[in-house]
Amino acid sequence: MDNWNFLGSRWWKFDFHIHTPKSNDYGRGDESFKNTTPDVWLEKAMRKELDCVVVTDHNSGAWIDVLKNKYQELSQNKLDWFRELTIFPGVEITVADSSNRVHLLAIFDPSCDSQTVTSVLGGCGINAGFGDDENTSTNTGFVETVNKIAVARGIAIPAHIDGRKGLLEGITALTPELIKSLQSISAAEFCDLHKFDNADAELKKQVDGLAKLAGSDAHKPDDIGKHSSWLKMSRPSIEGLRLALLDHEFCVKNQAENPNCVPDVYLVKLTIQFMRHCGRIPGQPLTLQLHPHFNVLIGGRGTGKSTILEAIRIAARREDELKPFPKLEAELIKFLRGQTGMEKERGVMLDTTEIMLGLSRNSINYRLRWRFDAQQTVLEQDTTTGWQAVETGNLKERFPLSIYSQKQINELALNPKGLLEVIDRSLEVNRTEWQNRWETEKSTFLQLKGQQRELRRQLATEEPLRARLRDVEHDLNVYEEQGHGEILKTYQKRQQQKNSLPSNHIFDGLTSKLHELAESAQLSDFPEHLFDDEDQTKTEMQAIHDWTAQELNQVSTVLLQLVEKLAEIKTQREQKNQASLWFHSLQKSEVDYASLPPDSSQYGKWVQQRNSWQQELQRLASVRKDIDTIDNQLNKSLQKLIQLRTELLEKRRTFLDKVIGSNEFVRMELVQFGDTSCVEEDYRSLLTLQERVFTNSIYEHESKQGLLWELCQWETLNKPEAELAQLIAAVKNKTIEIAKGLDTGNHGAFNNRLKQLWENQPNVFEQLETWYPEDLLRVKYAREPASGRFVDLEKGSAGQKAAAILAFLLSHGSDPLIIDQPEDDLDNALIYDLIVKQIHLNKSKRQLIIVTHNPNIAVNGDAELVHVLKFENGQMQVEQQGGLEELPIRAAICRIMEGGNVAFEKRYQRIRPEQTHVI
């Protein structure tokens, strides 16, 4: 991967076994290949995208310097196929091992030359016959030859160990001599990587302890790179190769695809300047280059490792994630601004402090720039014209990032409820998207409740209205019996008919709606600016757009024609009504009624009242139907809310099954609506009831009474989980019944308070109807993982609790994960079994940044990049950064984490088991 430009370790593509024309059998019988030139040889290796090649002629190193010189020449005048290539000097030695001749590869540092190879060959008794593998061999045995290679600081690797002239050719069982040979090496080249998968147990054990490498054994240019392996190191060197082979489980891959890949989102660089103890020298900010995979921050106490974590938290605007932990939030504020009062303490920030966090998201580079004086983060994007400010958007969604200090982990261990937020941030659960749907449905429910409340208010006038109607109808009957009965009856009848017949408003409403439809039947303009003139699809898509617009215009025309038709119907209806016998009868009844004596005016008022009240009752009948409709909608909406909560529960459970599964350290279970720790707080908040009032009516723990008692104590009372929904419903129903005056609580003052709320703020009870407690997360851990038995987390020690939480945090996600000192409270067995194993499982798919004092995490976790911090001259500084195979990094790890070489050796000598045999 030519564009890999990160500090620390990366994967390098190796071909461990390549010959040149200096091998007598080069070309495998085709003499024309003897004329292969160094530039052709190098071109073939480069076109196969190899990073490292090992030149391994038979008993000769003659072409090593030739190839190196040609490479230097090519690098000065790079052709289009040129790529960087590291040439490892090597040789394929024919070892006279007992009665057999075994081929053994010797590999040396790229800084070595042909003379190094010639010297080793001479030490093994080969001073002539260079290039010949048939008649030339060592006078040293296999183990002795391996030792001579090691003395020259080289690495011995048996060639094609399972093939012709291989150390294990035809071997099905081990001899003592073979065991010594295998124990003298750390790697071997295999023709078949699975050759010994079903071999004798002891043979398989010995083979599995070796790094399995692939080499092409190329005797022709086209065979170069035919077989290769990937090895991880910072830069190609013999020391890096040696360490990779020793840690072959994690540092050697035999695959075709390039393992140098990066996560979708990762941190690139952290820059801090003008902080009180960091980056205060102008032009010399503290800069931390980050690797996209596993970063380790080490340093003595007080070197500022935790400051790095908090700086990232601040720049990424993740301070609010500490809100569930008030003590930690207060500590962060103190860290930023200091402490005022009698014991004043300055924070680390100055007015000019700036933190800049570089990130990569889907191969686009961004940076977050935070200044203390502005108290805000600016997002900038790397463009062809430089860094440009862009819309920040939702930083948490755009740049997912998980940060956990050791204190956060401890808080989560004490109260696992906070883990729900971690679960909900996952893509699988996506609480933000779910929350939007929940709020939308809740808003629908509350709107319907408001409509229902208004309609019921209107319907409350129905019974008084019916009573008044009965009275006026009685008065009318009495008056009619006094005379003029027929005229009055006819008049009443026609007026009732007139009032009950549909009015012309229906035509006006339809006309308005048709006009709106006609106006909306228009297509927006074709987005021509999004189609280039060279885009072959433009003409086709514009034609489809124009055809659609024309068809919609026709629809609009038809709708306007319907408007004209409605006007015509309205006019004809009026004309037919006026020409009807009924209309003439209506007019006659009105003329006859007008001719009645003056004392009939009261009768007219009664008729008007009756007609008006009858119309109002008809409207209220419609209101009753509307209420029935809204009641059905409310039931459906409430069911949707419950379904949404169930959906959230299932998403959480699915996520936990996927992440925790059969984890040997931790188990997690969810109980719907089971977390009652905040029930009283929620209840009081919804009903606007202050703390410590009406305790006997709401919740009194000591006296075991109150509306919420049974719900809050459901676990203590051994209530089945399935009854939780009923307990919640009982609380809601009881509260509303008290508010309506249909039931009584434990105290009159509480009853009165709810009644006042019902009269003045009925909407709070509607909010109560949509409320449900949070799901309960139960965390269990294994005291002895091998036993498979799990107990409640609250019964564990501090270390066991932290282990359970870490097992979860390290088990999921693809976003960058930053943890401060996860080893605190853990013994070394848990550190290796839990943290180190999870690091290896995670770091290929996500970025890890871990602050630690434990060498197991850095070394056994195989950190790609180690950052060594120091505190000097009152300033936090980066002493050095590099991969594990770099000597200064290993020395720093030993010095800082082990107390130095002498302390490490003494401790090792005191605790290591006695050796039972000597190799």
Side-chain angles (χ1 to χ4, degrees), residues 50 145 179 185 196 214 295 320 426 462 489 539 678 697 787 811:
L50 292 169
T145 304
I179 291 176
I185 59 174
F196 299 99
N295 299 261
D320 61 337
S426 67
E462 184 180 29
K489 287 180 181 179
T539 302
C678 295
S697 296
S787 69
S811 293

Side-chain angles (χ1 to χ4, degrees), residues 153-188:
R153 300 190 63 80
I155 298 174
I157 297 176
H160 34 75
I161 192 172
D162 55 334
R164 181 173 175 270
K165 296 184 180 180
L167 181 64
L168 299 180
E169 179 187 7
I171 298 298
T172 57
L174 291 174
T175 63
E177 185 178 2
L178 272 176
I179 291 176
K180 289 182 179 180
S181 296
L182 289 171
Q183 290 180 341
S184 69
I185 59 174
S186 60

Side-chain angles (χ1 to χ4, degrees), residues 281-397:
I281 302 174
Q284 297 183 32
L286 181 139
T287 301
L288 206 67
Q289 299 282 351
L290 296 166
H291 195 281
H293 294 296
F294 182 27
N295 299 261
V296 165
L297 275 68
I298 68 172
R301 300 287 178 180
T303 53
K305 300 182 297 299
S306 297
T307 298
I308 297 294
L309 179 145
E310 297 306 335
I312 294 173
R313 187 195 302 277
I314 292 164
R317 306 319 306 258
R318 295 305 200 278
E319 304 99 314
D320 61 337
E321 293 178 1
L322 293 180
K323 286 189 179 298
F325 316 107
K327 292 182 180 179
L328 302 186
E329 186 179 27
E331 287 183 9
L332 179 62
I333 294 172
K334 180 181 176 182
F335 170 81
L336 288 170
R337 301 180 176 87
Q339 183 174 328
T340 59
M342 295 183 64
E343 298 181 0
K344 292 186 178 180
E345 184 176 329
R346 294 188 300 179
V348 301
M349 298 298 175
L350 304 174
D351 288 342
T352 54
T353 298
E354 181 178 83
I355 302 173
M356 193 151 57
L357 183 63
L359 310 101
S360 176
R361 180 180 183 273
N362 295 329
S363 301
I364 299 176
N365 289 326
Y366 298 87
R367 65 186 184 188
L368 298 171
R369 185 190 295 270
W370 180 89
R371 287 183 59 90
F372 182 73
D373 54 1
Q375 290 291 304
Q376 66 178 3
T377 290
V378 176
L379 177 65
E380 298 173 336
Q381 181 178 336
D382 191 7
T383 67
T384 55
T385 58
W387 291 98
Q388 300 289 335
V390 294
E391 291 293 332
T392 303
N394 188 323
L395 285 179
K396 287 187 177 182
E397 290 184 2

Side-chain angles (χ1 to χ4, degrees), residues 379-541:
L379 177 65
E380 298 173 336
Q381 181 178 336
D382 191 7
T383 67
T384 55
T385 58
W387 291 98
Q388 300 289 335
V390 294
E391 291 293 332
T392 303
N394 188 323
L395 285 179
K396 287 187 177 182
E397 290 184 2
R398 298 185 67 188
F399 304 100
L401 175 67
S402 298
I403 307 176
Y404 297 99
S405 67
Q406 218 293 318
K407 291 181 178 179
Q408 271 180 276
I409 294 171
N410 288 338
E411 290 288 342
L412 288 172
L414 293 173
N415 181 16
K417 177 182 177 181
L419 287 176
L420 270 182
E421 183 179 347
V422 179
I423 295 170
D424 290 346
R425 287 204 302 265
S426 67
L427 290 175
E428 291 86 346
V429 177
N430 194 349
R431 176 66 181 257
T432 301
E433 184 274 337
W434 178 91
Q435 192 71 37
N436 288 336
R437 291 191 288 131
W438 170 269
E439 293 298 335
T440 299
E441 191 58 47
K442 179 180 174 181
S443 176
T444 298
F445 179 85
L446 295 177
Q447 287 176 7
L448 288 171
K449 289 296 290 188
Q451 294 174 24
Q452 181 195 57
R453 191 172 356 107
E454 172 57 24
L455 291 175
R456 284 182 171 172
R457 184 194 64 77
Q458 296 178 27
L459 199 60
T461 64
E462 184 180 29
E463 283 306 316
L465 190 61
R466 289 190 181 279
R468 290 198 297 271
L469 179 61
R470 286 194 295 270
D471 289 341
V472 80
E473 286 179 338
H474 175 268
D475 292 338
L476 283 170
N477 289 332
V478 171
Y479 182 81
E480 288 170 356
E481 290 174 357
Q482 293 176 354
H484 313 294
E486 287 301 322
I487 294 175
L488 292 172
K489 287 180 181 179
T490 302
Y491 176 76
Q492 292 175 44
K493 176 182 176 183
R494 295 305 183 200
Q495 288 299 314
Q496 287 176 333
Q497 291 171 348
K498 175 183 176 182
N499 293 330
S500 300
L501 285 172
S503 69
N504 283 333
H505 291 311
I506 185 174
F507 298 101
D508 298 334
L510 284 173
T511 298
S512 176
K513 291 177 181 178
L514 286 173
H515 273 298
E516 290 178 7
L517 286 173
E519 291 175 1
S520 64
Q522 302 291 330
L523 204 61
S524 60
D525 293 339
F526 180 73
E528 189 171 356
H529 63 287
L530 297 178
F531 289 81
D532 299 331
D533 292 337
E534 297 79 11
D535 192 336
Q536 297 179 356
T537 66
K538 178 179 180 181
T539 302
E540 176 188 21
M541 295 309 297

Side-chain angles (χ1 to χ4, degrees), residues 429-668:
V429 177
N430 194 349
R431 176 66 181 257
T432 301
E433 184 274 337
W434 178 91
Q435 192 71 37
N436 288 336
R437 291 191 288 131
W438 170 269
E439 293 298 335
T440 299
E441 191 58 47
K442 179 180 174 181
S443 176
T444 298
F445 179 85
L446 295 177
Q447 287 176 7
L448 288 171
K449 289 296 290 188
Q451 294 174 24
Q452 181 195 57
R453 191 172 356 107
E454 172 57 24
L455 291 175
R456 284 182 171 172
R457 184 194 64 77
Q458 296 178 27
L459 199 60
T461 64
E462 184 180 29
E463 283 306 316
L465 190 61
R466 289 190 181 279
R468 290 198 297 271
L469 179 61
R470 286 194 295 270
D471 289 341
V472 80
E473 286 179 338
H474 175 268
D475 292 338
L476 283 170
N477 289 332
V478 171
Y479 182 81
E480 288 170 356
E481 290 174 357
Q482 293 176 354
H484 313 294
E486 287 301 322
I487 294 175
L488 292 172
K489 287 180 181 179
T490 302
Y491 176 76
Q492 292 175 44
K493 176 182 176 183
R494 295 305 183 200
Q495 288 299 314
Q496 287 176 333
Q497 291 171 348
K498 175 183 176 182
N499 293 330
S500 300
L501 285 172
S503 69
N504 283 333
H505 291 311
I506 185 174
F507 298 101
D508 298 334
L510 284 173
T511 298
S512 176
K513 291 177 181 178
L514 286 173
H515 273 298
E516 290 178 7
L517 286 173
E519 291 175 1
S520 64
Q522 302 291 330
L523 204 61
S524 60
D525 293 339
F526 180 73
E528 189 171 356
H529 63 287
L530 297 178
F531 289 81
D532 299 331
D533 292 337
E534 297 79 11
D535 192 336
Q536 297 179 356
T537 66
K538 178 179 180 181
T539 302
E540 176 188 21
M541 295 309 297
Q542 186 152 20
I544 295 173
H545 178 275
D546 293 344
W547 173 84
T548 306
Q550 184 177 0
E551 292 297 314
L552 283 176
N553 284 336
Q554 292 182 11
V555 170
S556 179
T557 300
V558 171
L559 291 171
L560 292 175
Q561 290 173 351
L562 289 175
V563 170
E564 295 176 358
K565 182 65 175 176
L566 277 175
E568 181 183 343
I569 294 173
K570 177 181 177 182
T571 301
Q572 290 184 5
R573 177 176 184 263
E574 290 176 350
Q575 292 173 350
K576 291 185 177 186
N577 273 340
Q578 292 175 5
S580 67
L581 292 175
W582 173 84
F583 186 77
H584 290 297
S585 176
L586 172 66
Q587 288 182 316
K588 182 177 185 304
S589 69
E590 290 175 345
V591 171
D592 291 344
Y593 176 74
S595 65
L596 288 174
D599 59 356
S600 64
S601 60
Q602 184 61 37
Y603 177 84
K605 292 179 182 179
W606 291 335
V607 170
Q608 289 177 358
Q609 288 176 343
R610 183 191 61 187
N611 293 342
S612 174
W613 293 341
Q614 285 177 339
Q615 288 179 352
E616 178 64 12
L617 287 172
Q618 285 181 346
R619 190 187 69 80
L620 290 177
S622 176
V623 167
R624 183 179 287 104
K625 291 180 180 179
D626 291 341
I627 290 175
D628 291 340
T629 300
I630 287 178
D631 286 346
N632 290 331
Q633 292 174 341
L634 280 168
N635 290 332
K636 291 179 180 178
S637 182
L638 197 57
Q639 288 302 313
K640 285 183 181 179
L641 289 173
I642 296 172
Q643 288 170 7
L644 281 169
R645 279 300 302 266
T646 302
E647 176 190 323
L648 178 62
L649 175 75
E650 293 306 320
K651 282 186 174 183
R652 288 168 166 173
R653 282 177 173 168
T654 300
F655 173 77
L656 288 176
D657 288 343
K658 176 182 175 182
V659 171
I660 300 299
S662 57
N663 190 293
E664 59 183 320
F665 293 98
V666 64
R667 289 284 187 272
M668 293 188 180

